[in-house]
Amino acid sequence: MKALVWHGTTDIRCDSVPDPGIEHERDAIIKVTSCAICGSDLHLYDHFMPGMKSGDVMGHETMGEVVEVGPAARKSLKVGDRVVIPFTIICGECEQCRRGNFSVCETTNRNKDLADKAFGHSTAGLFGYTHLTGGYPGGQAEYLRVPFADTTHIKVPDGIPDEKLLFLSDIFPTGWQAAVQCDIQPTDTVAIWGCGPVGQMTIRSAVLLGARQVIAIDRLPERLSMAKAGGAITINFEEESVIERLNELTGGKGPEKCIDAVGLEAHATGSVDSMYDRAKQAMMLETDRPHVLREMMYVCRPAGVLSIPGVYGGLLDKIPLGAVMNKGLTIRTGQTHVNRWTDDLLNRVLENQIDPSFVITHTEPLESGPEMYKTFRDKQDGCIKVVLKPGMNGGFHA
Amino acid sequence: MHDVVRRTALPGRSQSSHDKMARSLGYFSIALGIAELVAPGEICRAAGVRGLEPVVRGYGAREIATGVAILTSHDPEPWIWTRVVGDLADIATVAIGVQQDNQSKGRSALALAALATVTLVDLACADGLNSEKGSRKTATRDYSRRSGFPRGLQATRGAARDFKVPDDMGTPELLRPWDDTRGIRQN
C-alpha cells in the first residue's frame, strides 16, 4: 500500500510499504477514506520530537471503513462499519481508562520502558507519533491497523461527508477539551494563542461554552480572519502588544482563562525571549520555544486557569513560575482524552450546531502528502488544514 | 493586496529546490571546512595570501559548524545567512592579505571571484528560503465567512452553556467568580 513515511528532518515521502494485517485478536484493519495532517505532525516533520525512526508511517487523524476484524474486536465492530479513529490508542480496561483519562492509558504503549525514562511514567500509545508512544504505524496511508480496535474507534453514521466527521479523531476534541478544562463561566474572557486548526476549534468551543469574550492571537491575516468569523476578537502580535491589548480588553485585569494552542514551535520573531530560545535551541540547550507559556503566565488574571493543548516535547527554559505561584494560577494540560468527548461532539455535528469542515483549506490525494507538509509548515497557499484522500485524482483548495 | 505565497515543494517531495540547495551548501561547507583544517597552507597559497594559516583553520571550524547546523536544522535559512556573513569575512581576509607579486595577485583575484560567486549563491538560497514562508505581508486568503456554525454565530453563542464540566476539570468552588449582587458564587 501507499503511505507517507518519515525519512529524516523535513523529509517525508509517499512510499510503498507492506499492507498491515491482523496481529492481535483485538485488532481491526481500516481502509482509509480520509486522513489529515495535524499541526503536531509538523513537530515530527521538523524533527523536534525525539523517538522517530526512518521508515515510520505518519499520521494520527484518520477515518475509514472496517475491512477486517480480529476475533476479540467483533463484539463491537464488524466489516463495513464506518469509523473515525482517535489518535490515542486505548484499552478501555486500565485504571486510567476507567477514569476517562484515555490519553494516559496504562496498557497501549508498547514501548513503556522508553516512555517511563522520558516522562517518568508511560502515556498511551499513539498512532504515527514516535517510538516514545509505541511506534505504531500511522494513518496517512491506504490502510491502518488499529490495535485495541474494540475500544479505539468512534462509530459514525453513513450519509455525512468525511470532512464533517474526520476531526473527531483529534483537533475537534482537542479544542473542546482545551476549552472545557478552563471551566468557562459566562463572565470569562478566554484568550487563545494560535489560530491554527486546534486554535480554530478552541475558539468555536469557547464560543459554544458561552464565554463572554474570546480573544485570538496570531500573526497571519488569513488565520485571524477565520478566527474572527468564529466569533473571536483578534490580536496580530506582529502589529500590537499582546499584553497591552489583553489588559485593555479586560479592564486592566487580564483574561481569566488563557489557552496555548501553539506549543513548542512558537514564532514570536520580534521578542527578546524568542531570540534567546532560538539561540538555545540551535545549540541544543533547550528543546522547546515556550514564548506563549511565558506570556500567558504573565498576563493571566490572578486565580485564573492556563490550559495547554499545545504539544511540548522536552525541556523548557526561563518559565516564570513565580507568576504562576504568586497569582495562584491553575495549569491544566495533557494529550486529549478523545473518546471522553466524542459522543457529545458527534451529536453537536449531527444537530448542525457546528460543522468542523470549515477549517479545511486543502484537499489532496495521499500522494501529494509530502508537498503538503511543506505547504502547511510554511503557511503557503493560504494553507490552514490539509485533508488527504487515498485514491483521489487531483486536488483543490477551498 | 499581496499575492499568497505559492507552493514551492518539488513534486512528490516535502522539500523545495531551495531546501535542496541549502543541503548542498551544507555538504559544501563541511568539505571546505575539512580542507581548511587539514591543509591551511595550500588554501593560503591558492588564495595568494601568506601567514594566515591559523585564521584559515578557524574559518575551517566555522565552516564545519555551519554545515552541520544546515544539515541538521529544520530551517536552514539562518544558517545560510551565517554563511553569507562568513563569505564576507573570507573576502575581507583575502583582500587584506593580498601579496604584491603578480602570481599572488592573480591567485587572489581568482579566489575573490570564487568567493563572490559563492556569496551570490548563498544570498540566492537565503533569499529563496525566506520568500517561501507565508507571513503577514504575503498570506492574504480571506476566510472571513467560515464561522463553522451552520446556524450562524449569534444563534450558536453559548449553545453548549449547559455542558457539565467533569469534576476533575472544574474550577474549585473557592475560585469560582463571586456575584456581588446576590452574595453567592456563580455556577
Side-chain angles (χ1 to χ4, degrees):
Chain A
M1 68 166 183
K2 287 177 182 166
L4 300 190
V5 176
W6 189 89
H7 284 270
T9 307
T10 70
D11 188 359
I12 309 268
R13 300 177 204 165
C14 185
D15 289 347
S16 288
V17 300
D19 286 357
I22 299 285
E23 295 176 18
H24 185 276
E25 58 180 10
R26 289 180 73 177
D27 287 357
I29 305 297
I30 307 298
K31 183 176 192 286
V32 177
T33 53
S34 297
C35 54
I37 303 176
C38 180
S40 60
D41 286 329
L42 297 180
H43 304 324
L44 308 182
Y45 172 63
D46 286 338
H47 205 181
F48 279 114
M49 297 294 286
M52 288 299 284
K53 291 180 185 171
S54 182
D56 287 347
V57 177
M58 301 284 294
H60 58 265
E61 295 182 2
T62 307
M63 69 177 294
E65 182 189 331
V66 177
V67 291
E68 203 177 344
V69 189
R74 286 177 195 152
K75 59 190 174 195
S76 56
L77 276 181
K78 64 179 189 304
V79 171
D81 280 348
R82 191 182 187 209
V83 288
V84 174
I85 305 301
F87 75 95
T88 46
I89 303 170
I90 59 173
C91 74
E93 296 165 347
C94 69
E95 185 186 333
Q96 294 288 8
C97 280
R98 289 200 308 273
R99 288 166 179 257
N101 295 333
F102 296 116
S103 75
V104 287
C105 170
E106 295 168 327
T107 310
T108 54
N109 188 345
R110 58 187 178 181
N111 292 334
K112 185 177 179 311
D113 291 348
L114 209 57
D116 282 345
K117 285 196 181 95
F119 301 133
H121 296 284
S122 176
T123 58
L126 307 179
F127 289 100
Y129 214 77
T130 84
H131 289 260
L132 284 174
T133 56
Y136 290 100
Q140 287 165 6
E142 290 180 304
Y143 292 91
L144 173 67
R145 179 178 83 90
V146 181
F148 299 90
D150 52 321
T151 41
T152 305
H153 70 265
I154 303 148
K155 269 192 201 170
V156 291
D158 293 330
I160 299 164
D162 280 10
E163 287 74 8
K164 287 190 174 189
L165 303 169
L166 174 61
F167 303 134
L168 290 169
S169 59
D170 182 350
I171 59 169
F172 187 18
T174 295
W176 181 256
Q177 180 174 309
V180 164
Q181 67 191 4
C182 283
D183 193 5
I184 292 170
Q185 307 295 316
T187 50
D188 281 348
T189 292
V190 180
I192 298 162
W193 278 255
C195 297
V198 166
Q200 299 290 346
M201 295 296 169
T202 310
I203 290 164
R204 273 68 181 178
S205 300
V207 167
L208 280 168
L209 289 164
R212 184 177 71 84
Q213 188 171 232
V214 178
I215 304 169
I217 301 148
D218 204 292
R219 68 190 170 110
L220 298 174
E222 59 209 4
R223 294 181 178 216
L224 290 168
S225 74
M226 192 183 271
K228 195 172 179 183
I233 297 166
T234 57
I235 299 176
N236 185 329
F237 68 79
E238 286 190 340
E239 293 176 351
E240 53 191 334
S241 160
V242 173
I243 306 279
E244 283 175 19
R245 186 85 177 106
L246 285 174
N247 281 329
E248 186 185 306
L249 287 165
T250 54
K253 292 187 168 186
E256 289 92 343
K257 310 291 159 67
C258 297
I259 301 177
D260 173 1
V262 175
L264 65 89
E265 291 188 66
H267 292 91
T269 44
S271 69
V272 175
D273 69 310
S274 68
M275 285 187 269
Y276 167 86
D277 286 332
R278 278 187 184 271
K280 286 201 78 171
Q281 209 174 39
M283 291 185 284
M284 295 182 187
L285 296 172
E286 184 180 33
T287 58
D288 304 3
R289 303 199 295 261
H291 171 79
V292 169
L293 286 180
R294 294 189 193 110
E295 206 158 66
M296 287 199 331
M297 290 170 176
Y298 185 76
V299 78
C300 188
R301 186 177 299 201
V305 176
L306 309 177
S307 168
I308 310 170
V311 172
Y312 287 89
L315 303 172
L316 289 65
D317 200 1
K318 301 284 182 291
I319 297 297
L321 207 64
V324 176
M325 186 272 164
N326 284 289
K327 290 196 287 182
L329 305 182
T330 300
I331 298 178
R332 294 205 178 90
T333 184
Q335 296 281 6
T336 309
H337 308 308
V338 178
N339 290 64
R340 192 162 173 175
W341 316 112
T342 44
D343 287 351
D344 178 72
L345 295 181
L346 176 59
N347 280 336
R348 293 184 193 281
V349 173
L350 298 179
E351 288 167 5
N352 251 354
Q353 204 174 77
I354 183 166
D355 174 2
S357 68
F358 76 90
V359 78
I360 301 170
T361 54
H362 291 72
T363 305
E364 294 281 336
L366 180 68
E367 291 82 352
S368 299
E371 296 156 59
M372 296 316 296
Y373 266 89
K374 166 88 176 168
T375 305
F376 181 29
R377 198 275 307 266
D378 287 345
K379 282 90 175 171
Q380 297 175 343
D381 202 26
C383 185
I384 296 180
K385 187 69 179 177
V386 180
V387 170
L388 301 170
K389 289 185 175 273
M392 177 187 180
N393 288 319
F396 61 90
H397 63 76
Chain B
M1 170 104 37
H2 300 281
D3 288 335
V4 171
V5 177
R6 297 291 163 206
R7 300 187 204 180
T8 57
L10 295 166
R13 303 304 301 265
S14 57
Q15 295 163 336
S16 66
S17 57
H18 289 112
D19 292 322
K20 294 259 177 210
M21 193 175 171
R23 288 194 72 77
S24 301
L25 288 170
Y27 287 119
F28 172 74
S29 216
I30 291 171
L32 179 62
I34 291 170
E36 288 177 328
L37 274 181
V38 172
E42 282 77 1
I43 299 279
C44 282
R45 259 192 301 284
V49 296
R50 280 182 206 154
L52 294 175
E53 284 80 359
V55 176
V56 170
R57 277 204 189 92
Y59 287 178
R62 182 202 75 208
E63 290 281 2
I64 290 172
T66 309
V68 169
I70 289 169
L71 294 177
T72 55
S73 171
H74 73 287
D75 180 10
E77 189 200 331
W79 300 109
I80 300 294
W81 284 114
T82 304
R83 273 190 52 79
V84 172
V85 173
D87 293 339
L88 297 177
D90 292 345
I91 288 170
T93 305
V94 174
I96 291 167
V98 172
Q99 302 299 302
Q100 292 309 308
D101 60 285
N102 284 338
Q103 190 182 26
S104 296
K105 276 185 183 171
R107 286 176 176 173
S108 292
L110 275 176
L112 285 169
L115 285 168
T117 305
V118 171
T119 307
L120 289 175
V121 172
D122 285 334
L123 276 170
C125 183
D127 184 57
L129 288 169
N130 181 266
S131 66
E132 288 179 356
K133 296 171 188 163
S135 69
R136 70 189 163 116
K137 291 180 182 168
T138 56
T140 50
R141 278 211 200 287
D142 180 13
Y143 298 128
S144 59
R145 291 171 183 268
R146 294 184 175 220
S147 76
F149 299 126
R151 295 178 198 156
L153 175 60
Q154 289 316 317
T156 310
R157 198 180 279 277
R161 197 169 273 160
D162 59 349
F163 178 81
K164 175 145 182 11
V165 174
D167 289 344
D168 60 329
M169 293 184 179
T171 305
E173 182 61 24
L174 284 172
L175 294 179
R176 285 190 181 280
W178 186 263
D179 186 332
D180 283 333
T181 58
R182 294 190 293 161
I184 57 168
R185 292 189 196 286
Q186 297 172 349
N187 289 318

